[in-house]
Amino acid sequence: MITVLAGGVGAAKFLRGLVDVVDPATVTVIGNTADDEEFLGLHVSPDLDTVVYTLADVVDPEAGWGIAGDTYTALEQAERLGEEVWFRLGDKDIATHLLRTRLLRGGQTLSQATSAIAAKFGVGCKLLPMTDDRVRTVVTTAGGEISFQEYFVHRRQQDEVRAIRFDGIDKARPAPGVIDSITQAGAVIIAPSNPLVSIGPILAVPGIRQALADTPATVAAISPIVGGRALKGPADRMLTSLHHEASATGVARLYADFLDLLVLDDEDAALADQVEALGVRAHVTGTIMRDAASRRALAEATLKAIS
Ligand code: FO1
Protein backbone atom coordinates (compact mmCIF):
# COMPACT_ATOMS: atom_id res chain seq x y z
CA MET A 1 0.00 0.00 0.00
CA ILE A 2 1.29 3.46 -0.94
CA THR A 3 0.20 6.67 0.76
CA VAL A 4 0.73 9.98 -1.00
CA LEU A 5 0.53 13.43 0.63
CA ALA A 6 -0.84 15.73 -2.04
CA GLY A 7 -1.39 19.39 -2.85
CA GLY A 8 -2.90 20.43 -6.19
CA VAL A 9 -1.64 20.36 -9.76
CA GLY A 10 1.89 18.89 -9.28
CA ALA A 11 0.62 16.18 -6.97
CA ALA A 12 -2.24 15.30 -9.30
CA LYS A 13 0.13 14.86 -12.24
CA PHE A 14 2.39 12.63 -10.17
CA LEU A 15 -0.60 10.56 -9.03
CA ARG A 16 -1.77 10.19 -12.62
CA GLY A 17 1.60 8.62 -13.43
CA LEU A 18 1.57 6.49 -10.29
CA VAL A 19 -1.79 4.87 -11.04
CA ASP A 20 -0.45 3.94 -14.47
CA VAL A 21 2.23 1.80 -12.82
CA VAL A 22 0.49 0.46 -9.70
CA ASP A 23 -3.06 -0.69 -9.01
CA PRO A 24 -5.02 2.45 -7.95
CA ALA A 25 -6.71 0.36 -5.23
CA THR A 26 -3.33 0.18 -3.45
CA VAL A 27 -2.99 3.99 -3.30
CA THR A 28 -4.30 6.28 -0.55
CA VAL A 29 -4.10 10.03 -1.12
CA ILE A 30 -4.13 12.50 1.77
CA GLY A 31 -5.18 15.86 0.31
CA ASN A 32 -4.65 19.42 1.49
CA THR A 33 -7.89 21.15 2.50
CA ALA A 34 -6.45 24.41 3.85
CA ASP A 35 -7.04 25.99 0.38
CA ASP A 36 -10.78 25.30 0.71
CA GLU A 37 -13.05 28.30 0.45
CA GLU A 38 -16.72 29.20 0.09
CA PHE A 39 -17.61 30.81 -3.24
CA LEU A 40 -21.20 31.63 -4.26
CA GLY A 41 -22.21 29.87 -1.05
CA LEU A 42 -20.59 26.62 -2.20
CA HIS A 43 -17.84 24.67 -0.45
CA VAL A 44 -14.93 24.42 -2.91
CA SER A 45 -12.03 22.03 -2.18
CA PRO A 46 -9.60 22.94 -4.99
CA ASP A 47 -6.82 20.49 -4.20
CA LEU A 48 -9.13 17.50 -3.70
CA ASP A 49 -10.97 18.34 -6.93
CA THR A 50 -7.75 18.74 -8.89
CA VAL A 51 -6.74 15.22 -7.82
CA VAL A 52 -10.19 13.82 -8.68
CA TYR A 53 -10.41 15.51 -12.10
CA THR A 54 -6.86 14.53 -13.02
CA LEU A 55 -7.28 10.90 -12.01
CA ALA A 56 -10.62 10.81 -13.84
CA ASP A 57 -8.94 12.25 -16.98
CA VAL A 58 -11.37 15.18 -17.16
CA VAL A 59 -9.03 17.92 -15.94
CA ASP A 60 -8.37 21.01 -18.04
CA PRO A 61 -4.91 20.18 -19.35
CA GLU A 62 -3.86 23.82 -19.81
CA ALA A 63 -4.79 25.10 -16.36
CA GLY A 64 -4.16 21.83 -14.50
CA TRP A 65 -7.37 22.46 -12.47
CA GLY A 66 -11.05 22.62 -13.38
CA ILE A 67 -12.80 20.52 -16.02
CA ALA A 68 -11.68 20.44 -19.67
CA GLY A 69 -13.98 22.38 -22.00
CA ASP A 70 -16.02 23.83 -19.14
CA THR A 71 -18.24 26.86 -19.76
CA TYR A 72 -18.90 29.84 -17.48
CA THR A 73 -22.59 30.60 -17.98
CA ALA A 74 -23.48 30.36 -14.28
CA LEU A 75 -20.53 32.56 -13.30
CA GLU A 76 -21.45 35.19 -15.92
CA GLN A 77 -24.98 35.31 -14.56
CA ALA A 78 -23.68 35.49 -10.98
CA GLU A 79 -21.60 38.49 -12.02
CA ARG A 80 -24.73 40.19 -13.46
CA LEU A 81 -26.32 39.61 -10.06
CA GLY A 82 -23.43 41.40 -8.38
CA GLU A 83 -21.53 38.39 -7.02
CA GLU A 84 -17.74 38.27 -6.76
CA VAL A 85 -16.49 36.07 -9.58
CA TRP A 86 -12.70 36.33 -9.50
CA PHE A 87 -12.52 32.64 -8.60
CA ARG A 88 -13.38 31.06 -11.95
CA LEU A 89 -15.88 28.28 -11.30
CA GLY A 90 -16.97 26.53 -14.49
CA ASP A 91 -20.49 25.18 -14.95
CA LYS A 92 -19.51 21.51 -14.68
CA ASP A 93 -17.16 22.26 -11.78
CA ILE A 94 -20.03 23.99 -9.97
CA ALA A 95 -21.98 20.73 -10.08
CA THR A 96 -19.22 19.13 -7.97
CA HIS A 97 -19.41 21.97 -5.43
CA LEU A 98 -23.22 21.77 -5.35
CA LEU A 99 -22.98 18.06 -4.54
CA ARG A 100 -20.26 18.57 -1.89
CA THR A 101 -22.17 21.43 -0.28
CA ARG A 102 -25.44 19.46 -0.21
CA LEU A 103 -23.74 16.46 1.39
CA LEU A 104 -21.99 18.65 4.00
CA ARG A 105 -25.20 20.53 4.80
CA GLY A 106 -26.95 17.18 5.14
CA GLY A 107 -24.54 16.28 7.93
CA GLN A 108 -21.90 14.28 6.09
CA THR A 109 -18.25 14.85 6.89
CA LEU A 110 -15.81 16.15 4.30
CA SER A 111 -14.30 12.64 4.20
CA GLN A 112 -17.69 11.14 3.32
CA ALA A 113 -18.44 13.83 0.73
CA THR A 114 -14.98 13.42 -0.81
CA SER A 115 -15.31 9.68 -1.01
CA ALA A 116 -18.74 10.03 -2.68
CA ILE A 117 -17.41 12.52 -5.24
CA ALA A 118 -14.31 10.44 -6.00
CA ALA A 119 -16.51 7.36 -6.54
CA LYS A 120 -18.85 9.24 -8.91
CA PHE A 121 -15.82 10.22 -11.01
CA GLY A 122 -14.60 6.61 -11.03
CA VAL A 123 -11.41 7.35 -9.08
CA GLY A 124 -9.89 4.05 -8.00
CA CYS A 125 -7.64 5.43 -5.21
CA LYS A 126 -8.80 6.12 -1.70
CA LEU A 127 -8.92 9.94 -1.34
CA LEU A 128 -8.87 11.33 2.20
CA PRO A 129 -8.96 15.00 3.19
CA MET A 130 -6.22 15.72 5.75
CA THR A 131 -8.94 16.60 8.27
CA ASP A 132 -12.71 16.90 8.49
CA ASP A 133 -12.27 20.04 10.57
CA ARG A 134 -12.12 23.57 9.21
CA VAL A 135 -8.54 24.69 8.55
CA ARG A 136 -7.74 27.72 6.37
CA THR A 137 -4.40 29.05 5.20
CA VAL A 138 -4.01 32.74 6.02
CA VAL A 139 -1.21 34.70 4.33
CA THR A 140 0.38 37.85 5.76
CA THR A 141 1.37 40.42 3.14
CA ALA A 142 2.42 44.08 3.43
CA GLY A 143 -1.30 44.92 3.41
CA GLY A 144 -2.15 42.55 6.27
CA GLU A 145 -3.69 39.09 6.44
CA ILE A 146 -5.62 37.67 3.49
CA SER A 147 -7.08 34.25 2.69
CA PHE A 148 -5.00 31.85 0.60
CA GLN A 149 -7.23 32.12 -2.50
CA GLU A 150 -7.29 35.92 -2.19
CA TYR A 151 -3.47 35.81 -2.31
CA PHE A 152 -3.20 33.05 -4.92
CA VAL A 153 -6.00 33.80 -7.38
CA HIS A 154 -7.39 37.29 -6.77
CA ARG A 155 -4.03 39.00 -6.19
CA ARG A 156 -2.16 36.62 -8.54
CA GLN A 157 0.58 35.77 -6.01
CA GLN A 158 2.11 39.23 -6.51
CA ASP A 159 2.50 40.06 -2.79
CA GLU A 160 5.56 39.16 -0.82
CA VAL A 161 4.53 36.56 1.73
CA ARG A 162 5.67 37.60 5.21
CA ALA A 163 4.02 34.85 7.24
CA ILE A 164 1.67 31.90 6.83
CA ARG A 165 -0.65 30.45 9.42
CA PHE A 166 -3.24 27.72 9.34
CA ASP A 167 -6.39 28.96 11.05
CA GLY A 168 -8.08 26.18 13.03
CA ILE A 169 -5.09 23.83 12.95
CA ASP A 170 -4.74 23.47 16.74
CA LYS A 171 -8.18 21.90 17.06
CA ALA A 172 -8.01 19.89 13.81
CA ARG A 173 -7.91 16.11 14.00
CA PRO A 174 -6.62 13.89 11.21
CA ALA A 175 -9.53 12.57 9.15
CA PRO A 176 -10.49 8.92 9.75
CA GLY A 177 -7.91 6.61 8.18
CA VAL A 178 -5.19 9.24 7.77
CA ILE A 179 -2.87 8.13 10.58
CA ASP A 180 -3.35 4.41 9.82
CA SER A 181 -2.65 5.03 6.13
CA ILE A 182 0.74 6.47 7.14
CA THR A 183 1.73 4.01 9.86
CA GLN A 184 0.55 0.94 7.92
CA ALA A 185 1.80 1.95 4.46
CA GLY A 186 4.47 0.07 2.55
CA ALA A 187 5.73 3.46 1.37
CA VAL A 188 4.79 7.10 1.89
CA ILE A 189 5.41 9.64 -0.86
CA ILE A 190 5.28 13.42 -0.46
CA ALA A 191 4.21 14.64 -3.91
CA PRO A 192 6.01 17.50 -5.68
CA SER A 193 3.79 20.19 -4.13
CA ASN A 194 4.53 23.50 -2.42
CA PRO A 195 6.16 22.45 0.89
CA LEU A 196 4.81 25.49 2.77
CA VAL A 197 1.17 25.90 1.69
CA SER A 198 0.26 22.52 0.15
CA ILE A 199 2.18 19.95 2.21
CA GLY A 200 2.71 22.32 5.17
CA PRO A 201 -0.95 22.28 6.30
CA ILE A 202 -1.08 18.46 6.11
CA LEU A 203 2.07 18.19 8.26
CA ALA A 204 0.62 20.71 10.71
CA VAL A 205 -2.50 18.65 11.50
CA PRO A 206 -1.72 17.37 15.01
CA GLY A 207 -0.42 13.79 14.83
CA ILE A 208 0.44 13.61 11.12
CA ARG A 209 4.08 14.74 11.32
CA GLN A 210 4.68 12.36 14.24
CA ALA A 211 3.09 9.49 12.28
CA LEU A 212 5.53 10.18 9.43
CA ALA A 213 8.44 10.08 11.88
CA ASP A 214 7.13 6.87 13.49
CA THR A 215 6.09 4.85 10.43
CA PRO A 216 8.31 1.91 9.55
CA ALA A 217 7.64 2.70 5.87
CA THR A 218 10.17 4.54 3.73
CA VAL A 219 9.09 8.18 3.47
CA ALA A 220 10.12 9.72 0.15
CA ALA A 221 9.54 13.21 -1.26
CA ILE A 222 9.89 14.58 -4.77
CA SER A 223 11.37 18.08 -4.84
CA PRO A 224 8.99 20.62 -6.43
CA ILE A 225 11.95 22.98 -6.78
CA VAL A 226 14.21 22.43 -9.79
CA GLY A 227 17.22 24.64 -10.46
CA GLY A 228 16.05 27.02 -7.73
CA ARG A 229 12.65 27.54 -9.40
CA ALA A 230 9.19 26.19 -8.59
CA LEU A 231 7.81 24.00 -11.36
CA LYS A 232 4.49 25.82 -10.93
CA GLY A 233 3.28 28.58 -8.63
CA PRO A 234 5.04 30.81 -6.12
CA ALA A 235 6.85 28.21 -3.95
CA ASP A 236 10.32 29.53 -4.78
CA ARG A 237 9.52 33.15 -3.87
CA MET A 238 7.59 32.04 -0.81
CA LEU A 239 10.50 29.90 0.44
CA THR A 240 12.90 32.82 0.03
CA SER A 241 10.70 35.45 1.66
CA LEU A 242 10.09 33.10 4.61
CA HIS A 243 13.86 32.58 5.05
CA HIS A 244 14.10 29.06 3.64
CA GLU A 245 16.31 28.05 0.76
CA ALA A 246 14.56 27.79 -2.63
CA SER A 247 16.31 24.57 -3.61
CA ALA A 248 15.97 20.81 -3.31
CA THR A 249 18.22 21.08 -0.24
CA GLY A 250 15.84 23.62 1.29
CA VAL A 251 12.95 21.19 0.70
CA ALA A 252 14.93 18.32 2.29
CA ARG A 253 15.62 20.52 5.31
CA LEU A 254 11.89 21.22 5.80
CA TYR A 255 11.16 17.47 5.86
CA ALA A 256 14.43 16.20 7.39
CA ASP A 257 12.88 15.06 10.70
CA PHE A 258 10.86 12.32 8.96
CA LEU A 259 12.28 12.00 5.44
CA ASP A 260 14.25 8.94 4.27
CA LEU A 261 14.62 9.75 0.57
CA LEU A 262 14.50 12.85 -1.64
CA VAL A 263 14.01 12.51 -5.39
CA LEU A 264 15.64 15.48 -7.08
CA ASP A 265 15.99 16.52 -10.68
CA ASP A 266 19.01 15.79 -12.91
CA GLU A 267 19.58 19.54 -13.04
CA ASP A 268 20.17 19.51 -9.27
CA ALA A 269 22.53 16.51 -9.22
CA ALA A 270 25.19 18.69 -7.57
CA LEU A 271 22.90 19.11 -4.50
CA ALA A 272 22.78 15.37 -3.74
CA ASP A 273 25.70 15.59 -1.28
CA GLN A 274 24.06 18.46 0.64
CA VAL A 275 20.83 16.44 0.88
CA GLU A 276 22.68 13.35 2.10
CA ALA A 277 24.49 15.46 4.71
CA LEU A 278 21.02 16.04 6.24
CA GLY A 279 20.66 12.27 6.69
CA VAL A 280 18.31 11.96 3.69
CA ARG A 281 19.15 9.59 0.84
CA ALA A 282 19.20 11.42 -2.51
CA HIS A 283 18.01 9.93 -5.79
CA VAL A 284 18.64 11.92 -8.96
CA THR A 285 16.33 11.47 -11.97
CA GLY A 286 14.22 13.47 -14.45
CA THR A 287 11.34 15.00 -12.47
CA ILE A 288 9.71 17.29 -15.05
CA MET A 289 6.26 15.89 -15.91
CA ARG A 290 5.64 17.04 -19.48
CA ASP A 291 3.45 14.18 -20.66
CA ALA A 292 2.07 10.77 -19.70
CA ALA A 293 5.39 9.02 -20.35
CA SER A 294 7.40 11.37 -18.10
CA ARG A 295 4.76 11.18 -15.35
CA ARG A 296 4.96 7.38 -15.45
CA ALA A 297 8.76 7.44 -15.54
CA LEU A 298 8.89 9.64 -12.41
CA ALA A 299 6.52 7.30 -10.57
CA GLU A 300 8.57 4.27 -11.61
CA ALA A 301 11.88 5.90 -10.64
CA THR A 302 10.47 6.94 -7.25
CA LEU A 303 9.16 3.45 -6.51
CA LYS A 304 12.45 1.88 -7.59
CA ALA A 305 14.44 4.25 -5.38
CA ILE A 306 12.15 3.41 -2.44
CA SER A 307 12.57 -0.33 -2.89
N1 FO1 B 1 -6.68 28.99 -9.93
C1 FO1 B 1 -6.53 30.18 -10.54
O1 FO1 B 1 -5.39 30.62 -10.72
N2 FO1 B 1 -7.62 30.94 -10.91
C2 FO1 B 1 -8.89 30.50 -10.73
O2 FO1 B 1 -9.84 31.21 -11.05
C3 FO1 B 1 -9.07 29.21 -10.14
C4 FO1 B 1 -10.32 28.64 -9.99
C5 FO1 B 1 -10.44 27.33 -9.50
C6 FO1 B 1 -11.70 26.74 -9.43
C7 FO1 B 1 -11.83 25.45 -8.95
C8 FO1 B 1 -10.69 24.75 -8.53
O3 FO1 B 1 -10.82 23.50 -8.06
C9 FO1 B 1 -9.43 25.33 -8.61
C10 FO1 B 1 -9.30 26.63 -9.10
N3 FO1 B 1 -8.05 27.23 -9.18
C11 FO1 B 1 -7.91 28.47 -9.75
C12 FO1 B 1 -6.85 26.56 -8.71
C13 FO1 B 1 -6.61 26.74 -7.20
O4 FO1 B 1 -6.80 28.02 -6.74
C14 FO1 B 1 -5.16 26.37 -6.88
O5 FO1 B 1 -4.67 25.42 -7.76
C15 FO1 B 1 -4.98 25.72 -5.54
O6 FO1 B 1 -5.77 26.18 -4.52
C16 FO1 B 1 -3.50 25.73 -5.15
O7 FO1 B 1 -3.12 24.40 -5.06
Side-chain angles (χ1 to χ4, degrees), residues 7-9 35 44-47 49-50 53 65-66 86-89 93 97 148-149 152-153 157 198:
V9 178
D35 291 9
V44 182
S45 295
D47 283 357
D49 289 344
T50 296
Y53 296 161
W65 49 266
W86 51 264
F87 199 75
R88 308 296 297 163
L89 295 175
D93 191 27
H97 314 314
F148 177 78
Q149 296 300 350
F152 193 89
V153 174
Q157 309 137 40
S198 297

Side-chain angles (χ1 to χ4, degrees), residues 9-11 13-14 157 191-195 222-237 239 246 251 263-265 267-268 285-290 298:
V9 178
K13 284 186 182 173
F14 174 75
Q157 309 137 40
S193 297
N194 185 317
I222 298 141
S223 175
I225 305 288
V226 173
R229 304 293 300 267
L231 293 175
K232 194 173 195 306
D236 46 3
R237 285 179 289 125
L239 283 162
V251 174
V263 176
L264 61 165
D265 193 72
E267 191 182 330
D268 291 326
T285 189
T287 64
I288 313 289
M289 295 178 284
R290 280 180 209 87
L298 178 58

Side-chain angles (χ1 to χ4, degrees), residues 265-284:
D265 193 72
D266 293 320
E267 191 182 330
D268 291 326
L271 300 180
D273 287 349
Q274 286 182 8
V275 170
E276 299 221 329
L278 296 167
V280 175
R281 187 156 59 90
H283 181 81
V284 178

Side-chain angles (χ1 to χ4, degrees), residues 185-199:
V188 179
I189 302 174
I190 317 286
S193 297
N194 185 317
L196 299 175
V197 291
S198 297
I199 303 300

Side-chain angles (χ1 to χ4, degrees), residues 53 57-72 92-93:
Y53 296 161
D57 284 329
V58 299
V59 77
D60 179 329
E62 297 300 318
W65 49 266
I67 294 182
D70 215 345
T71 50
Y72 290 86
K92 290 180 182 170
D93 191 27

Side-chain angles (χ1 to χ4, degrees), residues 203-224:
L203 299 178
V205 175
I208 294 188
R209 197 168 191 120
Q210 192 58 48
L212 288 163
D214 292 345
T215 183
T218 297
V219 181
I222 298 141
S223 175

